[in-house]
Amino acid sequence: MSDQRIRIEVPANEWVTSNDRLHWREKACRVAAIRRRSAVLARQQLTTVDGPVMVVCRTRYRAGRGLDADAAAPTLKAAIDGMTDAGIWADDDADHVGAICYQASRKDAGLAKGWHALDLLIIDQHVQF
């Protein structure tokens, strides 16, 4: 497998961070929307993988200073679950998604106002340490 890339753009009103204090129902609705969006994009853009992969995530914001690198973990979790739903890997357990790496967020003036993005790099990890 060669490395694969995908960008998942999410409207700010669906974005979930570890700093949010949302009602459980609101959070569940946001997570479901991200998961559906991720599944659709993954089916269109990615090929299936059979071995362990590492997912490298960089969050993108149109303006502002962004967040700490792992603040978008709940959004990324929903996106990975969507990729599992799409059949990109059999499960998102440690045997299939062996590592997740967060990189510092970056501004992206090309994003539409009120949108954020996850830029994901999926790297083959057949060689493990």
Side-chain angles (χ1 to χ4, degrees), residues 34-50:
I34 295 164
R35 192 169 175 157
R36 281 190 305 271
R37 178 177 284 107
S38 172
V40 168
L41 291 171
R43 283 185 194 103
Q44 293 171 351
Q45 299 177 29
L46 300 176
T47 60
T48 59
V49 297
D50 62 353

Side-chain angles (χ1 to χ4, degrees), residues 9-24:
E9 294 185 1
V10 179
N13 65 348
E14 292 177 3
W15 193 260
V16 184
T17 74
S18 54
N19 300 321
D20 289 335
R21 301 293 176 254
L22 299 171
H23 184 275
W24 65 267

